[in-house]
Amino acid sequence: MLLIDDLTVRYRTPGGEIEALSSISLQVEKGSTVALVGESGSGKSTVALAAMGLLPQEASIPSGRILFDGQDIMMMNVEERRRLRGSRIGLIFQDPFSVLNPSLRIGDQVGEGLVHHRGFSTERAFARAIELLDEVGIVRPESVAKAYPHELSGGMRQRALIAGALASEPDLLILDEPTTALDVTIEAQILDLLEGLRRQRGMTMVFISHNLGVVRRISDEVAVLYAGQIIEQGRTEDVLQRPIHPYAKGLLAAIPRIGQKQGRLAAIPGRLPDLRNPPTGCRFARRCPFATPDSDKPQILRKLGDRQVRCTNAEALREAPWPRPGESEQFAEVVRSPHAGPVVAVEHLTKTFGRHAGFAFKWRRLATSTEIKPVNDISIEVAAGEVLGLVGESGSGKTTLGLSILRLVEPDSGTIRIAGEMVSGKAQRALESMRRSAQIVFQNPDSSLNPRKTIGELLARPIERFRLAPSGEIPARVRQLLDLVRLPAHYADRYAHQMSGGEKQRVGIARALATEPRFIVCDEPVSALDVSVQAAIVNLLADLRDRLGVAYLFISHDISVVAHIADRVAVMHHGKMVEIGRADEVMNAPKHPYTMKLLSAVPRIDGPAPRSVGERHGQVA
Amino acid sequence: MPASTPRSGSVAMSVDQITEAPVIEAAPRRPMSLQLKVGLVITGSIVLLGLLAPWIAPHPWDTISMRTRFVPPNATYWFGTDEYGRDVLSRLLMGTRLSLAMGVSATLVSLAVGIPMGLAAGYFRGWVDEVLMRLADVFMAIPPIMLGLLVLAVTPPALWKTALAVGFVYIPPIARLARSVTLTLANEEFIQAAKARAETNSYILFREILPNAWPPLIVEASLRVTYAILLGSALSFLGLGAQPPSSDWGLMISEARAFIDRAPWIALAPGFAMCLLVIGINLLGDGARERLDPRLKSRVTER
Amino acid sequence: MTGYIARRLLFVVLVLVAVSMLVFSITALLPANVAHLILGPFAPPEQVRALELKLGLTDPIWLQYVRWAGGFLSGNLGESTLMNRPIGPLLMEAIGRSMMLTGASFVLIAVIGIGLGIIAALRHGGPLDHGISVGTYLGIAVPEFFWAIIVIIVVAAWLGWLPASGYEPLSAGFTVWAKHLIAPTMTLVFGHLAHVSRLTRSSMIEVLQSPYVTAARAKGLPERVVVMHHALRNALLPTITVLALDFGRLMGGIVVVETIFAYPGLGRLIVFSIQNRDLPTLQAAILVVAAIYALANLLADLLYARFNPKIRFGRNVG
């Protein structure tokens, strides 16, 4: 159905030309689903755009063919390619929030392909759109068809987009991270929908994702991309359970698994090679624990049974496991804080949004919003040196709770005690000692560091602010902090933009540690990071807890990560805490129906094979 | 205005993701765009000519000579002479200083008042924001030139008063820009981090926010200089700015109006000089804007 | 939606009240002695004093303001100190003439400016785009009074096609009337075209690069449909606001243009009343301009809301 042969794509950027894809070859059989998997920078999304003939102007294609049903897409003229798109090939994008036109009704957007490809009248297309919306599981499709995108939730929008892609009954569907922007429970629904469609319509799909759990549920074949090359491909279950290429091994080892508590996660050191000038040999060699002198030679995809692997040592590595860090290798004994009692105690905390407080001049306000309670009567305690995990989907109020505890958002009612000090009810000015003992690590490494200051200045400031060291000793303290988060001392002279996402997050952690806090709110600290980097940061946080006895409120939407690091887990839903308990108990024997729903929605990379993968054998060449 | 700005989607991201890694290794300096280079050359040479005017002007700019009235451009008088026999080129060069001084000083006035206003409104929000911005709305309800006329109607005209009035007129737009920049920055996590270590408001405003607000403000300021030059010259043209025998460009054009059919060069020379200066600064500002932050390219500028 | 209109209308009224206070207090600072202006510089002091009492100029300023504003609301705008005519009719005539000028210019600016902007955006990076960009750079750089001079030199002095200045009423014949309107209109159009076309261009380019336009292309829609149906609708939304802003700038532009072309409209009236210290006329004229400007902005806000589903349905906004 789709055959990509020796495809190379380059992008012109201000910094030089980047090779986004290097000689990619891929074959998708009719009726099969092939997944492309990789972290950021692997080039996986470029494949989708190239196959649709939608590459941006900066892109050039020095070599390769893309055959759809035997016809070369790149040899077609613009008009022929346009007719192919949307009628025989459908594309579904990652972010359902920006790919729907804000000023057109949903029904028009779903049906418009029919008007232009099938010659439907507008009315007939709209009527068909309603049927399609019904088919993708939207309740009350008539009213949704008449709605505008901003009135719909993310899951509904993604369903509408799928309906739009299905409208002209394409033979091939390309899905670029279709569930990444969605909550897990919504993601599970969308995956169910896609599986159903595939069964009923015998649809061929190319599924692009960074999430191996999702891929495992949906695809027959998987191709793992690294730095613009396919490094391993084969049947999904084989590759995921018994990876051969070192990168695939590392990637899988870095993923935390629910119900299988390990001491530390495996992490992949280093970073992507410079794609302006990629190494001629193995592109992974510099990060590879199995690298040999042979790795410097150009690597080709080699066949190993029904698998293909881009590694000269593939046979030898077949059974070798990715090296795992030892169980708390450095600190056998966990240092617990000598203080008795909880370091944080919160009682009946409530925060309401949507009230019109303050000045009465609200001319510009268009609609009075209704009251919502993102934090509704929450009581929690965190013991010294304990990690309390807080999970919930977007809008559950978990971040608001974290910020309210630190008085970065003013709660409406309830009491907060931090390190024995009553924090609620005090004026902001009087919170100095609390600000020292309680700190925060943020989600977004690009936003959390002031871009105009060096890392040294950033880390020195808290020490100056609380006069924790005489000014002569500050540089030494900064070096200690950098060492604590395993960054070299010369990073003190760098600016944030000169570092990678993981490194920036380490600086964020070091800054929080600078005041020698006893409690840190970690607000989605690894959500913006790739899996391999995420593992290293999670390990670091765990080590620091053991070494310094600091307690965390670890907020995340990713249950697997929370399950891995937390001692206890609290689950939030619509501002309420529905369950709290020991991590293993909550994960293995959840009591609240919402927790059960949440846990069953998580796509896993281990455990019994998901239901749909089975008899069909697509072939990947 | 609540223009809907779409969030960066998957398509735009695919390129960004790829560029991320190499940029970290060594942030490459982009070569200067043609726009920026041309802008620098034009603006630079005009500023230089203005600074050196008293020394390079070929003739005295204010000596009246009835024998040399209305001489068309020739080898002695490159740009001809005016109705009092004064050399147009020399007057033009001296006028350059006045235009530049007008543009720069008026803009400094707007910045000095507008930036603190915008910072306060954007950071404190609430009633401070409401009061300051509604005040700005009131001033912006009158077209700039009329507000300038209104302010200047009160006193006998003088160039420095015109500069002050022009600066005053352009405070609200600067305040609005400073406010919107502050609003964006105030949502950044590093501001939350500063609050989490109990920093004072003035530390956050001046040490965390302002250093990041400078680049867009400086670019805007450079473009504001052209608005100030144009408005200032229009006011001079209407007789509410520089007074004769000053060689302010607006005044020169105003005085030359009566002789357009006989001696068009008197009006054309300062007119074209002004265009060149404004184009030069615009190129410079736009070039700098794209270099500093490509995302700002399409921002609406209000005059 | 109704609530929204009501709130915006209330806002316009409040702004105008504030503007009237501003205008009044600034002109109250004027050193010119009104009584002297009326009676002449050599009037005996007793006579001046008597007139000041009669006019209420010795009252506290707030009382003067209340009296003035009250007169304004009841339609009594006072009398022009210079022309000894009631200001109301004087102003109405001037507004009518200025509206012809600005109305014609505005329509041309909107049509040509948006058209050029769209063409430039569709040919983004091509020679036509570059040509339009250079043209608009010139348009922004040239001050109105210089455009006026160029227009006069070329069209009136050089080609001799049109009268260089003045105004003839429609009753004097359509051609004569139109001929006097062309040169000032051309000046205003040249001076303001660039702003609209540049903004339309950048907004269109931004929309054309947006994910939903890529998505529309991925659906295989013809390029014509992508541009007309998907892009234009969203790209023109900010242009509405910009056009209102430009209407305000046109109201400013007439000050210079009417002065140069000796066109007896609102702008010339303002300059005239400043030069002759005719306070009541100046106050009334500026207030009228502010009102027109505020109403243009209100209209733009309403149009914006009308075409923006996010506002029209009043949900998810905040």
Side-chain angles (χ1 to χ4, degrees):
Chain A
M1 172 93 356
L2 181 73
L3 187 127
I4 296 174
D5 182 24
D6 191 33
L7 179 70
T8 298
V9 176
R10 297 205 179 107
Y11 285 110
R12 286 184 301 277
T13 70
E17 206 175 50
I18 283 171
E19 196 163 291
L21 288 179
S22 309
S23 307
I24 295 284
S25 296
L26 192 70
Q27 189 178 334
V28 185
E29 293 294 327
K30 195 167 173 55
S32 72
T33 296
V34 175
L36 294 177
V37 174
E39 296 184 289
S40 8
S42 62
K44 57 190 188 303
S45 292
T46 304
V47 177
L49 294 176
M52 296 294 280
L54 284 173
L55 285 171
Q57 284 183 345
E58 304 87 64
S60 62
I61 306 176
S63 78
R65 290 187 306 159
I66 302 171
L67 300 182
F68 176 74
D69 239 7
Q71 291 169 287
D72 191 340
I73 290 181
M74 285 189 298
M75 301 302 281
M76 292 181 183
N77 65 29
V78 176
E79 186 57 19
E80 287 167 337
R81 229 184 314 190
R82 178 183 76 67
R83 267 192 238 116
L84 203 61
R85 283 202 296 267
S87 64
R88 301 201 56 200
I89 310 179
L91 177 59
I92 290 165
F93 293 94
Q94 169 177 359
D95 183 1
F97 295 91
S98 61
V99 297
L100 281 166
N101 190 326
S103 62
L104 293 177
R105 294 186 303 173
I106 295 292
D108 293 327
Q109 299 195 50
V110 169
E112 67 186 337
L114 293 170
V115 176
H116 298 286
H117 290 297
R118 298 274 187 279
F120 277 37
S121 70
T122 324
E123 295 77 36
R124 213 175 131 212
F126 197 84
R128 176 77 185 120
I130 294 174
E131 290 169 29
L132 285 160
L133 288 171
D134 189 40
E135 196 179 337
V136 297
I138 284 181
V139 276
R140 298 200 299 131
E142 294 87 1
S143 56
V144 168
K146 289 185 190 122
Y148 286 88
H150 71 275
E151 301 172 86
L152 269 55
S153 68
M156 297 250 275
R157 291 184 211 199
Q158 195 57 285
R159 282 173 193 270
L161 284 167
I162 292 171
L166 293 176
S168 47
E169 300 181 9
D171 306 309
L172 173 68
L173 204 53
I174 299 177
L175 303 104
D176 186 2
E177 303 256 13
T179 60
T180 305
L182 306 173
D183 278 325
V184 265
T185 52
I186 311 294
E187 174 180 77
Q189 291 168 16
I190 297 288
L191 290 175
D192 283 343
L193 169 68
L194 289 172
E195 269 168 34
L197 288 170
R198 201 177 86 143
R199 250 195 320 275
Q200 288 155 20
R201 299 192 172 209
M203 191 111 63
T204 316
M205 293 203 270
V206 174
F207 195 97
I208 295 164
S209 182
H210 71 284
N211 187 327
L212 293 168
V214 169
V215 163
R216 180 166 180 243
R217 269 199 60 179
I218 198 93
S219 72
D220 312 306
E221 309 283 324
V222 64
V224 183
L225 271 78
Y226 180 76
Q229 291 178 325
I230 292 179
I231 52 102
E232 178 161 354
Q233 61 185 62
R235 291 192 42 208
T236 306
E237 207 54 26
D238 292 350
V239 174
L240 260 48
Q241 301 313 326
R242 290 173 298 281
I244 296 175
H245 192 280
Y247 173 67
K249 287 184 199 288
L251 199 58
L252 279 152
I255 299 172
R257 288 149 210 244
I258 296 175
Q260 192 186 328
K261 189 127 180 158
Q262 311 141 336
R264 295 292 182 264
L265 294 167
I268 305 175
R271 58 161 82 114
L272 272 182
D274 187 346
L275 289 177
R276 282 172 297 175
N277 190 11
T280 49
C282 175
R283 294 189 177 178
F284 187 63
R286 278 174 60 193
R287 305 172 72 180
C288 181
F290 309 110
T292 63
D294 282 348
S295 305
D296 291 338
K297 293 180 193 147
Q299 308 279 319
I300 50 153
L301 265 184
R302 298 177 33 194
K303 233 176 157 58
L304 247 85
D306 57 357
R307 207 95 69 95
Q308 301 209 29
V309 181
R310 194 183 291 272
C311 181
T312 15
N313 295 334
E315 279 95 350
L317 292 176
R318 202 179 254 280
E319 299 302 328
W322 183 266
R324 254 172 209 290
E327 295 284 311
S328 309
E329 42 188 354
Q330 293 139 305
F331 312 99
E333 200 173 326
V334 174
V335 184
R336 295 285 180 189
S337 168
H339 297 272
V343 67
V344 173
V346 173
E347 278 176 13
H348 307 299
L349 197 70
T350 298
K351 170 69 190 172
T352 313
F353 281 147
R355 285 192 311 190
H356 289 184
F359 216 51
F361 275 176
K362 293 284 179 194
W363 317 116
R364 296 273 164 92
R365 177 118 352 182
L366 302 169
T368 34
S369 43
T370 43
E371 271 196 3
I372 45 162
K373 282 193 179 165
V375 177
N376 193 350
D377 195 22
I378 301 270
S379 302
I380 49 167
E381 283 187 357
V382 186
E386 184 192 36
V387 179
L388 175 63
L390 187 59
V391 289
E393 296 183 289
S394 52
S396 62
K398 53 193 191 304
T399 292
T400 311
L401 174 61
L403 294 175
S404 302
I405 293 174
L406 296 185
R407 295 276 311 273
L408 291 170
V409 161
E410 290 296 348
D412 298 334
S413 62
T415 59
I416 307 162
R417 266 172 205 283
I418 295 179
E421 180 194 353
M422 186 61 118
V423 167
S424 48
K426 269 192 180 173
Q428 283 286 348
R429 270 189 308 278
L431 291 175
E432 192 142 329
S433 68
M434 179 277 261
R435 294 267 176 251
R436 226 202 104 178
S437 53
Q439 273 294 320
I440 180 163
V441 173
F442 296 96
Q443 167 174 7
N444 188 346
D446 290 321
S447 165
S448 62
L449 306 179
N450 190 333
R452 305 256 151 210
K453 296 190 177 180
T454 65
I455 303 313
E457 287 164 359
L458 287 171
L459 295 180
R461 179 62 199 171
I463 305 169
E464 282 165 27
R465 172 72 191 77
F466 294 101
R467 293 181 204 85
L468 301 177
S471 57
E473 286 170 28
I474 288 179
R477 283 287 297 141
V478 168
R479 276 196 300 278
Q480 276 173 24
L481 285 168
L482 283 171
D483 188 53
L484 209 54
V485 296
R486 290 169 211 147
L487 287 175
H490 69 262
Y491 270 48
D493 299 325
R494 292 202 176 191
Y495 287 92
H497 68 88
Q498 294 166 314
M499 303 192 301
S500 71
E503 288 169 345
K504 283 184 248 190
Q505 205 55 309
R506 285 171 194 267
V507 174
I509 295 168
R511 176 178 59 190
L513 291 172
T515 64
E516 297 159 14
R518 298 185 48 210
F519 170 64
I520 299 179
V521 172
C522 300
D523 186 7
E524 303 263 10
V526 294
S527 304
L529 305 174
D530 272 321
V531 175
S532 59
V533 183
Q534 162 186 308
I537 298 291
V538 169
N539 287 348
L540 174 68
L541 284 169
D543 287 350
L544 290 169
R545 188 269 302 260
D546 291 352
R547 194 157 152 193
L548 307 170
V550 58
Y552 301 135
L553 179 66
F554 191 98
I555 301 170
S556 181
H557 69 279
D558 187 334
I559 299 157
S560 337
V561 173
V562 170
H564 172 76
I565 193 171
D567 302 310
R568 287 188 304 143
V569 172
V571 183
M572 274 183 84
H573 185 49
H574 291 331
K576 293 212 171 211
M577 199 167 70
V578 297
E579 181 158 1
I580 184 165
R582 276 184 39 205
D584 49 348
E585 282 170 10
V586 174
M587 294 300 147
N588 296 324
K591 292 191 182 66
H592 194 275
Y594 176 72
T595 316
M596 295 177 198
K597 187 179 159 198
L598 211 54
L599 278 166
S600 69
V602 179
R604 305 181 187 214
I605 50 165
D606 50 6
R611 39 205 153 119
S612 74
V613 175
E615 35 330 302
R616 277 179 313 277
H617 283 202
Q619 236 179 348
V620 182
Chain B
M1 297 296 124
S4 67
T5 36
R7 307 189 328 176
S8 70
S10 55
V11 182
M13 255 168 58
S14 60
V15 183
D16 293 351
Q17 289 174 347
I18 296 155
T19 48
E20 193 203 55
V23 164
I24 295 158
E25 293 290 343
R29 291 306 285 175
R30 275 202 286 161
M32 261 198 242
S33 63
L34 182 67
Q35 200 180 21
L36 199 57
K37 278 184 199 159
V38 174
L40 263 177
V41 168
I42 296 179
T43 316
S45 21
I46 294 180
V47 168
L48 204 65
L49 286 176
L51 287 177
L52 298 176
W55 296 279
I56 58 171
H59 302 273
W61 64 276
D62 55 351
T63 308
I64 295 171
S65 150
M66 286 304 155
R67 277 177 301 145
T68 56
R69 295 176 72 200
F70 300 122
V71 176
N74 63 23
T76 323
Y77 300 103
W78 290 3
F79 290 178
T81 63
D82 67 3
E83 72 272 24
Y84 295 110
R86 297 172 297 195
D87 177 35
V88 172
L89 175 60
S90 304
R91 291 179 63 72
L92 198 63
L93 287 171
M94 294 304 288
T96 309
R97 316 178 115 202
L98 297 179
S99 282
L100 287 171
M102 154 73 65
V104 172
S105 55
T107 305
L108 287 179
V109 170
S110 342
L111 291 178
V113 184
I115 290 180
M117 268 177 76
L119 280 178
Y123 180 70
F124 292 111
R125 309 292 305 275
W127 66 268
V128 179
D129 188 22
E130 290 288 338
V131 167
L132 289 177
M133 286 304 114
R134 293 304 77 82
L135 203 64
D137 281 342
V138 169
F139 281 94
M140 287 176 89
I142 308 177
I145 191 164
M146 294 201 187
L147 192 55
L149 286 175
L150 196 62
V151 173
L152 290 170
V154 187
T155 75
L159 196 57
W160 67 268
K161 288 179 192 164
T162 312
L164 211 60
V166 170
F168 172 75
V169 164
Y170 285 136
I171 290 171
I174 291 275
R176 281 205 174 173
L177 174 67
R179 173 181 179 269
S180 75
V181 173
T182 310
L183 275 180
T184 322
L185 287 170
N187 283 329
E188 298 276 339
E189 288 172 350
F190 64 82
I191 301 298
Q192 291 270 335
K195 287 180 182 163
R197 50 171 200 269
E199 298 286 7
T200 59
N201 284 332
S202 68
Y203 180 91
I204 293 177
L205 270 176
F206 294 106
R207 303 294 294 279
E208 301 275 357
I209 291 180
L210 195 56
N212 288 289
W214 273 128
L217 287 176
I218 292 277
V219 168
E220 179 71 10
S222 75
L223 297 177
R224 288 276 149 200
V225 169
T226 68
Y227 295 178
I229 291 173
L230 290 174
L231 181 57
S233 66
L235 289 169
S236 282
F237 180 85
L238 293 170
L240 287 162
Q243 297 297 310
S246 164
S247 65
D248 179 272
W249 292 348
L251 185 63
M252 279 174 82
I253 296 175
S254 170
E255 289 177 328
R257 261 165 70 203
F259 315 105
I260 280 179
D261 35 359
R262 236 195 304 172
W265 59 85
I266 316 177
L268 290 179
F272 283 125
M274 193 177 317
C275 298
L276 201 61
L277 177 58
V278 171
I279 288 176
I281 300 177
N282 264 317
L283 287 171
L284 193 65
D286 284 350
R289 169 145 63 201
E290 265 172 60
R291 196 178 169 78
L292 285 171
D293 187 356
R295 280 168 303 165
L296 278 172
K297 216 186 303 182
S298 56
R299 202 180 52 74
V300 177
T301 45
E302 302 168 13
R303 208 194 262 194
Chain C
M1 190 76 186
T2 342
Y4 173 64
I5 296 175
R7 265 190 298 273
R8 293 293 296 129
L9 216 54
L10 181 67
F11 179 65
V12 167
V13 171
L14 283 172
V15 163
L16 287 180
V17 169
V19 168
S20 73
M21 289 182 188
L22 179 77
V23 169
F24 191 83
S25 50
I26 290 182
T27 45
L29 294 172
L30 209 67
N33 185 312
V34 179
H36 264 300
L37 274 172
I38 296 172
L39 298 171
F42 306 111
E46 322 71 78
Q47 218 178 323
V48 170
R49 181 105 191 107
L51 187 68
E52 275 181 348
L53 275 176
K54 192 179 143 223
L55 293 176
L57 292 176
T58 48
D59 291 337
I61 182 140
W62 64 267
L63 196 61
Q64 291 188 42
Y65 171 75
V66 168
R67 198 183 300 131
W68 174 73
F72 216 99
L73 288 180
S74 61
N76 172 19
L77 278 63
E79 201 164 280
S80 160
T81 55
L82 185 72
M83 290 174 247
N84 294 321
R85 278 183 61 194
I87 293 172
L90 196 71
L91 215 52
M92 287 314 289
E93 279 172 30
I95 292 173
R97 297 189 195 117
S98 288
M99 279 298 141
M100 283 182 224
L101 189 57
T102 44
S105 311
F106 183 75
V107 171
L108 287 174
I109 289 168
V111 172
I112 303 175
I114 291 175
L116 284 179
I118 291 172
I119 293 172
L122 292 179
R123 298 271 176 279
H124 183 33
L128 196 59
D129 179 28
H130 285 304
I132 293 173
S133 287
V134 170
T136 52
Y137 247 105
L138 278 175
I140 282 181
V142 180
E144 274 144 354
F145 56 88
F146 191 54
W147 271 126
I149 289 197
I150 292 174
V151 167
I152 291 177
I153 289 178
V154 174
V155 187
W158 193 22
L159 298 172
W161 288 347
L162 298 168
S165 64
Y167 168 79
E168 288 292 336
L170 198 50
S171 55
F174 179 79
T175 14
V176 183
W177 169 78
K179 269 191 169 179
H180 281 89
L181 216 51
I182 291 176
T185 305
M186 270 171 76
T187 307
L188 283 174
V189 172
F190 285 149
H192 295 263
L193 196 59
H195 197 229
V196 176
S197 79
R198 284 186 74 165
L199 267 152
T200 308
R201 173 180 178 269
S202 63
S203 144
M204 188 76 183
I205 287 175
E206 193 181 317
V207 169
L208 283 175
Q209 287 167 350
S210 71
Y212 58 80
V213 166
T214 308
R217 290 199 173 121
K219 277 188 213 162
L221 304 182
E223 195 59 21
R224 171 181 49 85
V225 176
V226 172
V227 171
M228 301 303 287
H229 203 55
H230 283 263
L232 207 52
R233 199 181 278 253
N234 294 295
L236 289 187
L237 215 49
T239 312
I240 295 175
T241 315
V242 171
L243 280 175
L245 211 67
D246 261 61
F247 193 75
R249 296 175 58 214
L250 273 179
M251 296 303 293
I254 58 172
V255 171
V256 168
V257 170
E258 290 183 354
T259 306
I260 296 180
F261 288 98
Y263 187 95
L266 204 51
R268 189 151 168 261
L269 188 67
I270 288 175
V271 174
F272 208 59
S273 56
I274 286 178
Q275 284 166 348
N276 296 289
R277 299 257 181 270
D278 184 351
L279 277 196
T281 314
L282 180 63
Q283 290 166 341
I286 298 235
L287 205 50
V288 163
V289 170
I292 294 174
Y293 191 13
L295 288 175
N297 269 315
L298 174 68
L299 193 67
D301 276 7
L302 297 183
L303 280 175
Y304 189 93
R306 170 69 188 77
F307 288 111
N308 187 349
K310 281 189 198 167
I311 296 182
R312 204 186 328 160
F313 295 99
R315 274 176 270 177
N316 286 12
V317 179

